Amino acid sequence: MTLHPAEAVRLLDEELASVRGPGPARTEEVWHAFLRFADRPFTVPDAPEADGLLVQYGTYAFDGPRAFTLDLVRQFETCDGDGDHAHYDQVHCELRFAPAPELEALGAFDAWCFRDSGDDLAAWTGALTSRPSWAVIRALTPTAVRTYRERV
């Protein structure tokens, strides 16, 4: 069964709820919940790069004090009534961490995966989790996890 992108935040929240116990989930647990969400089929246009995954991180102060942010994103293309590109909807799973020298040292990074354009999800996740930065991030417990949807 394919799902509509409007359901994406709810479905991501359900996956995250499965890893929350009496305390906050570790990054590795959130990552696996996100990958389960990433594997769910959604109705998107039949076009290259209509359904993408993005992992990005860095230390930022976008809407508050500086924090190291790991942002796990799924992006869906939306077309207008004529079938032309209208916009993208991005569903974010944003993990925030207290600033720390070892996190600052990681700098900024981003990597996309578009399976509908031939990218291999297993290869992409393997490349991400074999990065030295993942060894630093994976066992940490975020101070906050936020999900939201934005139109870009």
Side-chain angles (χ1 to χ4, degrees):
M1 176 173 108
T2 57
L3 305 159
H4 191 275
E7 300 175 83
V9 171
R10 179 183 60 79
L11 294 168
L12 176 56
D13 284 338
E14 287 175 6
E15 290 294 348
L16 291 171
S18 74
V19 299
R20 289 187 182 120
R26 289 186 359 259
T27 301
E28 182 83 2
E29 296 165 328
V30 173
W31 170 244
H32 288 290
F34 178 78
L35 290 177
R36 287 190 302 275
F37 165 72
D39 205 34
R40 297 184 104 165
F42 283 84
T43 302
V44 295
D46 186 17
E49 300 184 358
D51 185 354
L53 302 172
L54 168 65
V55 170
Q56 55 190 351
Y57 63 73
T59 302
Y60 307 105
F62 292 130
D63 57 359
R66 285 178 63 79
F68 181 82
T69 304
L70 171 62
D71 194 14
L72 311 173
V73 182
R74 187 156 182 191
Q75 176 174 280
F76 304 101
E77 182 176 13
T78 299
C79 292
D80 62 19
D82 295 327
D84 296 323
H85 172 79
H87 64 272
Y88 292 105
D89 283 302
Q90 291 185 338
V91 175
H92 294 259
C93 179
E94 181 182 88
L95 293 79
R96 290 191 178 203
F97 304 86
E102 65 271 17
L103 294 174
E104 286 267 349
L106 298 178
F109 173 80
D110 65 84
W112 282 95
C113 176
F114 293 98
R115 287 178 288 174
D116 56 0
S117 294
D119 291 347
D120 181 81
L121 181 62
W124 181 73
T125 58
L128 288 171
T129 57
S130 67
R131 294 177 54 81
S133 57
W134 189 250
V136 174
I137 299 168
R138 72 183 285 169
L140 297 176
T141 300
T143 57
V145 177
R146 176 173 78 124
T147 58
Y148 63 97
R149 179 177 168 188
E150 107 180 292
R151 182 180 286 193
V152 295

